[in-house]
Amino acid sequence: MTDSVILDVWCELQCPDCHSALDDVRALRARYGDRLDIRLRHFPLEKHKHAFAAAQAAEEALAQGQAWPYTEAVLARTAELAERGEPVLLDVARELGLDVEEFDTALIDGRHILIVDADQAEGKAIGVTGTPTYVIDGQRLDGGKSQEGLRARIEEIADRLLAG
């Protein structure tokens, strides 16, 4: 029996499909609590010009202890991010009471670029082509086209692993 299971969620913060996937992420978090370690992994797509900056901003939010609240808040504003770009990333940080100057500096100095690049490289290596994509127990579940049945599949695998 294992204490916790890792679920990697390959996500892109300008992606409407990732926004709709949040309900599944919340439901999984509610069902499993600490037994399911949900890790945000970055896979910015070239078609979304602010996704790479958003991924860096999410890493800064992680450094400031607010990774998921920040991620959820940005995903709720994908259309606005597409339209207004980086100012939205700073607005969200401000609304969450984070250190906005530090966000601004992080986006300028690129301190989180290596993490984002490493995630993207790992994603490509395991066959991630779109977002959201989930990986649990070495199995890749692609959620880009449809979320249908994915949460049930993740729960099935998590239950099996936790039961051991």
Side-chain angles (χ1 to χ4, degrees):
M1 187 172 147
T2 179
D3 289 342
S4 71
V5 173
I6 294 170
L7 172 67
D8 282 334
V9 181
W10 299 85
C11 182
E12 197 242 61
L13 298 191
Q14 203 182 323
C15 170
D17 290 334
C18 288
H19 178 241
S20 47
L22 275 179
D23 286 342
D24 284 337
V25 170
R26 286 189 194 108
L28 289 165
R29 196 181 287 135
R31 177 172 173 170
Y32 294 101
D34 293 342
R35 295 179 309 143
L36 187 65
D37 181 10
I38 301 174
R39 300 192 306 192
L40 176 67
R41 306 298 301 274
H42 302 290
F43 201 79
L45 303 168
E46 278 178 28
K47 66 180 178 181
H48 294 138
K49 64 179 181 187
H50 305 295
F52 194 76
Q56 294 177 68
E59 283 299 315
E60 181 55 35
L62 174 65
Q64 293 189 31
Q66 293 284 321
W68 278 107
Y70 185 83
T71 298
E72 293 190 18
V74 173
L75 281 171
R77 295 160 77 164
T78 53
E80 190 185 350
L81 178 60
E83 200 176 293
R84 289 183 49 227
E86 292 186 19
V88 173
L89 301 173
L90 300 176
D91 288 350
V92 171
R94 190 173 297 111
E95 287 159 18
L96 290 173
L98 298 171
D99 184 337
V100 179
E101 278 182 29
E102 205 55 42
F103 265 81
D104 201 29
T105 305
L107 288 171
I108 293 165
D109 72 18
R111 69 182 71 158
H112 302 299
I113 286 177
L114 288 175
I115 294 169
V116 177
D117 282 347
D119 271 5
Q120 197 164 29
E122 185 182 330
K124 283 180 180 161
I126 63 168
V128 175
T129 55
T131 56
T133 297
Y134 307 90
V135 176
I136 182 168
D137 193 33
Q139 292 183 57
R140 193 182 78 236
L141 306 167
D142 301 318
K145 295 284 172 275
S146 166
Q147 300 293 311
E148 200 62 45
L150 274 180
R151 187 167 87 210
R153 185 80 190 97
I154 291 166
E155 288 173 350
E156 196 180 291
I157 296 167
D159 288 344
R160 178 175 48 77
L161 291 169
L162 289 166

